[in-house]
């Protein structure tokens, strides 16, 4: 059992981490809250006084707000749908005994390690460029007019790029979950004459439920703050301005700090709603 | 869950899996190909690209003209620095929570996790302003600190789950034999904890290397790591496919190699132990 002495040492050892994180959380958060109630234009007069909830109202009622919310939801929803559906299929495939399993696994998870600016630019130029891109060349082979991917089909293109990056994550987690499934259970079901499809829906899918939830929550948190992929591809043009990107533009590009900060507070609230669900699942696991 | 299947099934599965794997990997493969071509050849049709001459020219150009190594070393310093600093802060914290748990341990762990979920853009301006005030905008030390802080919750959590797996009885036995705290740390805990610490370092170097919100917003010419250097190709002039490919290949190769070693830790680290 721990003694009183070791307890006080333990508290001291915990202190640096908690102090740093507390400062990291509180100081910027308080500053953001403070700015959100001010008219603050660093390049055009600086601090122009308190404005109450003006920024909050203006942020929501600006014509860019609802499109940004829609864009954010389409990106998060689209990427989740694609990565989870394909992720389940891929995990089932990789779980089968095949030759060269290790190498295939490596090929599949590789995109996750590609830095976001690289994947954004590589897709934008080498693949989606309407003149010299890979797709344009392929389209021309079939006599078709190349698609202006990032301007005429900007949202599907972005969802595709981001899905490519996140598919490995979903696959890896779902594969880990499938591999933890008791093979005897599957064999028993097989002997009882369960067809592959019913084995999938009644044994594998329920077993995956928890892993799928975790994938959904973690990806949602990361996808809500997608930035670099948009920054290097469309820079927010062609209807690809997400909430994160809108706030970034308000704060750093047009230097309207008050308005951007109010947007930041909305983003924090939104992320917290998702976070509560994720924390509940992680917390449950902690008790076991 | 692996079960025995007929050789024919296995052959079919193998072909499908390899095709899918190569399809997913193809963009990376393709930039490797383009990086080995001249600028003029890199924009031709895929067939012409494959049949044109191979050259290492672009790699030389990227290094000569753009201070590639400056950005590369910025990336190394920022990724390693933030990770090691994080380890120094997190090891004592994770140790104390794993071995001397109190009523508040669970709450502290959950709270740490919650700070990770704070959207960066929500605190962009305050951090930007503080960086200007402190004179550390576009400095490596500033990024080391910020990336350390955003990854600290993951580092603490990973270490905590690894430390939890070290049986407490061993520590108790050491204490019974008269080991004091220092001896306990150095001779008992450290050797058992090293694999966990190593995996934690590996995963966090990867995360810090690829981080692309703070690195893009808090750096300019001086401290820009590879993420920001590559982003400078978003409005290029002239032909640049081969150069961009070469720069990209050099930027992602070290992390791809590290990533392949850390597959298992990736799941544990990024799901905070919720999926093992």
């Amino acid at each position: 059992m721990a003694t009183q002495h070791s307890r006080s040492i333990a508290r001291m050892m915990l202190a640096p981490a908690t102090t740093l994180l507390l400062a990291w959380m509180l100081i910027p958060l308080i500053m953001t809250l403070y700015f959100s109630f001010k008219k603050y234009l660093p390049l055009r007069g600086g601090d122009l006084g308190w404005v109450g909830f003006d920024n909050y109202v203006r942020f929501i009622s600006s014509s860019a707000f609802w499109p940004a919310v829609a864009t954010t939801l389409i990106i998060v929803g689209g990427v989740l749908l694609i990565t989870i559906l394909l992720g389940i299929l891929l995990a089932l495939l990789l779980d089968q005994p095949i030759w060269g399993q290790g190498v295939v696994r490596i090929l599949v998870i590789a995109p996750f390690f590609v830095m976001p600016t690289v994947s954004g630019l590589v897709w934008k130029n080498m693949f989606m460029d309407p003149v010299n891109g890979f797709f344009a060349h392929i389209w021309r082979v079939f006599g078709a007019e190349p698609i202006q991917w990032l301007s005429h089909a900007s949202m599907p293109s972005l969802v595709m790029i981001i899905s490519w990056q996140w598919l490995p994550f979903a696959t890896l987690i779902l594969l880990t979950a499938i591999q933890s499934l008791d093979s005897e259970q599957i064999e028993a079901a097989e002997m009882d004459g369960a067809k592959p499809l019913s084995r999938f829906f009644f044994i594998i899918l329920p077993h995956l439920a928890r892993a799928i939830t975790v994938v959904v929550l973690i990806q949602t948190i990361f996808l809500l703050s997608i930035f670099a992929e948009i920054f290097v591809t469309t820079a927010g043009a062609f209807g690809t301005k997400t909430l994160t990107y809108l706030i970034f533009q308000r704060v750093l590009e047009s230097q309207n700090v008050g308005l951007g900060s109010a947007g930041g507070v909305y983003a924090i609230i939104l992320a917290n709603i998702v976070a509560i669900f994720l924390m509940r699942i992680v917390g449950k696991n902690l008790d076991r | 869950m692996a079960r025995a299947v007929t050789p024919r099934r296995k052959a079919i599965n193998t072909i499908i899996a390899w095709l899918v794997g190569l399809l997913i990997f193809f963009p990376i493969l393709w930039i490797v190909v383009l990086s080995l071509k001249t600028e003029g050849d890199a924009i031709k049709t895929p067939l012409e690209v494959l049949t044109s001459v191979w050259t290492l020219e672009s790699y030389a150009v990227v290094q000569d003209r753009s201070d590639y190594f400056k950005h590369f070393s910025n990336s190394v310093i920022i990724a390693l620095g933030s990770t090691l600093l994080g380890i120094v802060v997190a090891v004592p914290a994770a140790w104390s929570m794993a071995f001397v748990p109190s009523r508040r341990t669970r709450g502290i762990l959950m709270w740490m996790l919650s700070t990770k979920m704070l959207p960066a853009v929500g605190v962009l301006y305050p951090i930007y302003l503080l960086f200007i005030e402190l004179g550390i905008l576009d400095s490596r030390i500033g990024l080391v600190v910020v990336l350390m802080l955003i990854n600290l919750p993951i580092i603490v959590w990973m270490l905590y789950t690894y430390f939890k797996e070290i049986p407490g009885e061993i520590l108790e036995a050491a204490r019974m034999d008269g080991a004091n705290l220092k001896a306990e740390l150095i001779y008992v805990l450290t050797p058992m904890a090293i694999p966990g610490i190593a995996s934690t370092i590996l995963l966090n170097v990867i995360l810090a290397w690829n981080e692309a919100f703070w690195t893009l917003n808090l750096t300019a010419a001086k401290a820009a790591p590879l993420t920001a250097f590559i982003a400078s190709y978003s409005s290029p002039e002239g032909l640049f496919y081969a150069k961009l490919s070469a720069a990209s290949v050099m930027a992602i190769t070290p992390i791809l190699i590290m990533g392949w070693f850390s597959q298992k830790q990736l799941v544990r680290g990024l799901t905070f132990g919720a999926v093992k």
Side-chain angles (χ1 to χ4, degrees):
Chain A
M1 236 0 256
T3 61
Q4 196 58 44
H5 178 61
S6 71
R7 277 198 188 286
S8 64
I9 291 179
R11 240 190 317 248
M12 265 157 55
M13 291 165 74
L14 197 52
T18 46
T19 315
L20 279 172
L21 277 177
L22 198 65
W24 167 247
M25 187 183 75
L26 283 183
I27 296 171
L29 201 60
I30 290 169
M31 286 172 76
T32 293
L33 275 171
Y34 172 83
F35 288 130
S36 72
F37 292 107
K38 292 213 142 201
K39 187 173 172 72
Y40 186 58
L41 308 163
L43 299 181
R44 285 162 287 162
D47 189 345
L48 300 173
W50 299 96
V51 290
F53 282 92
D54 207 29
N55 288 322
Y56 289 89
V57 177
R58 274 182 56 206
F59 191 84
I60 282 209
S61 53
S62 97
S63 62
F65 177 73
W66 289 109
V69 170
T71 303
T72 310
L73 290 178
I74 292 170
I75 288 186
V76 173
V79 174
L80 281 178
L81 199 69
I82 292 174
T83 53
I84 286 172
L85 287 182
L86 293 183
I88 290 174
L89 290 177
L90 261 174
L92 287 172
L93 183 64
L94 292 178
D95 183 50
Q96 305 292 321
I98 55 167
W99 285 292
Q101 195 162 34
V103 184
V104 175
R105 250 177 92 123
I106 284 174
L107 295 179
V108 169
I109 64 167
F112 189 73
F113 302 113
V114 175
M115 55 176 64
T117 45
V118 166
S119 69
L121 281 177
V122 165
W123 279 99
K124 176 192 180 186
N125 294 300
M126 281 75 145
F127 286 87
M128 294 174 168
D129 185 88
V131 181
N132 298 322
F134 191 88
F135 294 153
H137 289 306
I138 302 291
W139 257 245
R140 276 193 215 103
V141 168
F142 292 100
E145 185 69 19
I147 299 174
Q148 313 258 342
W149 289 94
L150 282 160
S151 45
H152 292 166
S154 52
M155 287 303 283
S157 307
L158 261 184
V159 168
M160 194 171 128
I161 296 172
I162 300 168
S163 299
W164 179 73
Q165 289 180 283
W166 283 94
L167 180 59
F169 175 79
T171 306
L172 207 54
I173 287 177
L174 295 169
L175 182 61
T176 310
I178 288 183
Q179 284 171 340
S180 72
L181 183 59
D182 192 359
S183 66
E184 280 171 20
Q185 214 181 340
I186 292 278
E187 271 159 28
E190 226 168 321
M191 277 196 243
D192 290 344
K195 295 268 175 314
L197 215 56
S198 50
R199 287 206 299 268
F200 174 74
F201 279 107
F202 294 110
I203 299 176
I204 298 176
L205 203 57
H207 177 78
L208 285 184
R210 190 185 144 79
I212 292 174
T213 321
V214 171
V215 172
V216 168
L217 293 169
I218 291 178
Q219 282 199 27
T220 304
I221 287 185
F222 280 101
L223 294 174
L224 280 175
S225 46
I226 280 286
F227 175 77
E229 291 83 347
I230 300 172
F231 183 77
V232 299
T233 54
T234 61
F238 311 115
T240 59
K241 206 177 290 173
T242 58
L243 206 50
T244 299
Y245 210 84
L246 181 67
I247 298 167
F248 157 78
Q249 284 186 331
R250 291 277 186 270
V251 170
L252 284 196
E253 282 182 4
S254 51
Q255 294 266 332
N256 190 337
V257 174
L259 196 58
S261 296
V265 174
Y266 284 124
I268 291 168
I269 294 170
L270 186 65
N272 268 295
I273 295 171
V274 184
I276 288 169
F277 290 102
L278 177 58
M279 307 267 283
R280 222 175 259 171
I281 294 200
V282 175
K284 245 181 230 158
N285 206 55
L286 212 55
D287 294 333
R288 282 192 307 182
Chain B
M1 209 182 84
R3 289 154 294 134
V5 292
T6 60
R8 192 164 159 269
R9 243 326 260 298
K10 189 169 174 178
I12 294 172
N13 284 338
T14 302
I15 293 169
I16 299 174
W18 273 89
L19 285 178
V20 173
L22 286 172
L23 186 71
I24 292 174
F25 191 73
F26 182 73
I28 300 174
L29 197 64
W30 193 241
I31 59 170
V32 174
V33 171
L34 291 183
S35 73
L36 296 169
K37 299 292 172 180
T38 63
E39 290 295 359
D41 288 335
I43 58 165
K44 292 187 175 156
T45 64
L47 206 62
E48 288 168 330
V49 167
L50 285 175
T51 51
S52 62
V53 288
W54 300 83
T55 167
L56 283 168
E57 186 183 280
S58 305
Y59 287 90
V61 172
V62 167
Q63 284 178 27
D64 282 350
R65 288 203 206 145
S66 60
D67 291 343
Y68 180 85
F69 272 104
K70 186 181 87 180
H71 302 291
F72 185 85
S73 60
N74 281 343
S75 271
V76 171
I77 289 169
I78 292 165
L80 280 182
S82 66
T83 303
L84 294 180
L85 195 62
I87 292 280
V88 169
V89 176
V91 166
W95 184 92
S96 96
M97 286 192 287
F99 297 116
V100 197
S102 72
R103 272 176 295 114
R104 282 176 303 170
T105 298
R106 189 194 141 97
I108 293 174
L109 275 169
M110 297 311 282
W111 165 73
M112 285 186 169
L113 184 55
S114 75
T115 66
K116 178 72 196 156
M117 294 169 191
L118 197 67
V121 76
V123 294
L124 172 60
Y125 192 74
I127 299 299
Y128 184 75
L129 194 66
L130 286 173
F131 266 53
I132 293 175
E133 295 287 318
L134 297 170
I136 51 172
L137 194 66
D138 196 20
S139 78
R140 288 183 294 216
I141 182 73
L143 275 186
V144 165
V145 171
V146 164
L147 294 195
M148 184 272 273
L149 287 167
I150 62 166
N151 285 332
L152 192 57
I154 295 189
I155 300 181
V156 172
W157 264 84
M158 276 185 83
L159 290 174
Y160 174 79
T161 58
Y162 282 116
F163 288 175
K164 264 298 215 208
E165 282 164 17
I166 298 174
E169 291 82 13
I170 289 184
L171 293 181
E172 267 168 44
R175 266 175 228 159
M176 299 273 220
D177 291 344
N180 58 16
L181 190 68
K182 202 173 133 204
E184 194 180 304
L185 267 175
I186 296 173
Y187 298 110
V188 185
L189 188 79
T190 309
M192 297 187 75
I194 279 181
I197 294 178
S199 329
T200 310
I201 290 178
L202 201 60
L203 179 65
N204 279 281
V205 167
I206 294 172
L207 293 178
W209 185 276
N210 286 344
E211 202 286 330
F213 181 80
W214 294 113
T215 52
L216 286 175
N217 282 313
L218 297 177
T219 64
K222 221 165 56 192
L226 288 169
T227 44
F229 164 65
I230 299 282
S232 68
Y233 278 95
S234 59
S235 49
E237 283 155 20
L239 295 176
F240 64 99
Y241 280 18
K243 281 195 284 287
L244 172 58
S245 298
S248 299
V249 169
M250 288 192 285
I252 64 177
T253 306
I255 288 313
L256 272 179
I257 294 167
M258 290 175 73
W260 291 333
F261 284 112
S262 72
Q263 291 179 46
K264 292 244 163 60
Q265 289 74 37
L266 191 77
V267 174
R268 183 205 281 253
L270 289 177
T271 63
F272 303 98
V275 174
K276 274 183 210 157

